[in-house]
C-alpha cells in the first residue's frame, strides 16, 4: 500500500523534542513530506485534496482544523483526547483511536488506508457523514442557534 503522509503545522522551536526528530524522520522516508507553514486558504486547499486528516494530538481541547476538514468532507483519524472526537461517530464519520497509544495510532492509520482501498463505497459514506456531522455540530447555523439558546432568545 502506498501512502503519502504530509506533515504541516507550526514549525517553530516551541517543541524541539517533537519537531527535530520529525524533520530527521521525514528526511529518511520517501513517502513523507514536511510542508512549509502556509496561509489558511492554502492549508484548506491542502486538506481538501487529502483522503483523511490525521490528528494524533496528545492534548488538544478543540482542534479547529478537524472541523474544517469535516466541512470539506474529509474524515479525521483523531485521538480521543481531542475535543472534536466526542462529536464524531467512530467508524461512521471518522476514526477515533486511544491517545498516547502508538499501537492504536498505527491501527487507526491501517484501518483508514484499508477502508479507502478496499471499501470505497464505505469510504465515500464516511466522507458524507463527516460533512453531515459538521453541519450538525459546527456550522454557522448551529453556532447561532446555540448562542441564541445560551442568551435565552
Amino acid at each position: 500500500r502506498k501512502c503519502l503522509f504530509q506533515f504541516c503545522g507550526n514549525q517553530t522551536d516551541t517543541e524541539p523534542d517533537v519537531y527535530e526528530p520529525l524533520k530527521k524522520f521525514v528526511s529518511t522516508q520517501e513517502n513523507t513530506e514536511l510542508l512549509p507553514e502556509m496561509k489558511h486558504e492554502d492549508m484548506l486547499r491542502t486538506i481538501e485534496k487529502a483522503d483523511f486528516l490525521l490528528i494524533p494530538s496528545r492534548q488538544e481541547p478543540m482542534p479547529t482544523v478537524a472541523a474544517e476538514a469535516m466541512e470539506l468532507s474529509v474524515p479525521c483519524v483523531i485521538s480521543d483526547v481531542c475535543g472534536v472526537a466526542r462529536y464524531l461517530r467512530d467508524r461512521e464519520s471518522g476514526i477515533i483511536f486511544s491517545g498516547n497509544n502508538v499501537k492504536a495510532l498505527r491501527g487507526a492509520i491501517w484501518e483508514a488506508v484499508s477502508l479507502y482501498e478496499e471499501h470505497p463505497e464505505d469510504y465515500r459514506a464516511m466522507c458524507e457523514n463527516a460533512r453531515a456531522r459538521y453541519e450538525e455540530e459546527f456550522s454557522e447555523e448551529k453556532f447561532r442557534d446555540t448562542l441564541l439558546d445560551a442568551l435565552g432568545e
Side-chain angles (χ1 to χ4, degrees), residues 60-75:
E60 182 115 31
M62 181 58 193
T64 308
V65 69
E68 290 171 322
M70 293 164 62
E71 181 181 19
L72 297 169
S73 302
V74 175

Side-chain angles (χ1 to χ4, degrees), residues 87-108:
Y87 297 103
L88 294 175
R89 295 191 176 109
D90 192 24
R91 289 161 180 73
E92 184 182 313
S93 54
I95 298 172
I96 303 169
F97 64 93
S98 178
N100 293 316
N101 183 329
V102 174
K103 247 180 147 170
L105 169 59
R106 183 175 53 230

Side-chain angles (χ1 to χ4, degrees), residues 17-149:
D17 59 319
V18 173
Y19 184 65
E20 288 305 317
L22 177 62
K23 268 192 346 189
K24 187 174 181 177
F25 172 77
V26 167
S27 71
T28 66
Q29 305 298 311
E30 63 181 60
N31 66 332
T32 60
E33 296 176 352
L34 188 56
L35 300 176
E37 290 187 51
M38 58 184 81
K39 294 179 184 173
H40 187 253
E41 307 81 42
D42 296 332
M43 183 206 52
L44 291 176
R45 281 194 290 279
T46 299
I47 292 170
E48 193 169 30
K49 295 175 190 170
D51 299 315
F52 287 92
L53 181 69
L54 176 61
I55 306 175
S57 299
R58 293 177 288 182
Q59 55 182 358
E60 182 115 31
M62 181 58 193
T64 308
V65 69
E68 290 171 322
M70 293 164 62
E71 181 181 19
L72 297 169
S73 302
V74 175
C76 297
V77 176
I78 189 168
S79 72
D80 61 2
V81 300
C82 293
V84 173
R86 72 183 209 138
Y87 297 103
L88 294 175
R89 295 191 176 109
D90 192 24
R91 289 161 180 73
E92 184 182 313
S93 54
I95 298 172
I96 303 169
F97 64 93
S98 178
N100 293 316
N101 183 329
V102 174
K103 247 180 147 170
L105 169 59
R106 183 175 53 230
I109 293 170
W110 185 258
E111 184 177 344
V113 172
S114 298
L115 180 71
Y116 179 81
E117 289 186 345
E118 298 170 12
H119 305 282
E121 60 287 335
D122 293 338
Y123 167 73
R124 283 190 297 277
M126 184 179 280
C127 292
E128 292 169 8
N129 292 335
R131 173 61 191 207
R133 291 302 292 159
Y134 168 81
E135 291 297 331
E136 293 167 11
E137 300 295 343
F138 302 110
S139 68
E140 192 174 315
E141 181 179 307
K142 173 68 175 178
F143 178 78
R144 184 191 66 236
D145 293 346
T146 302
L147 181 61
L148 291 176
D149 283 349

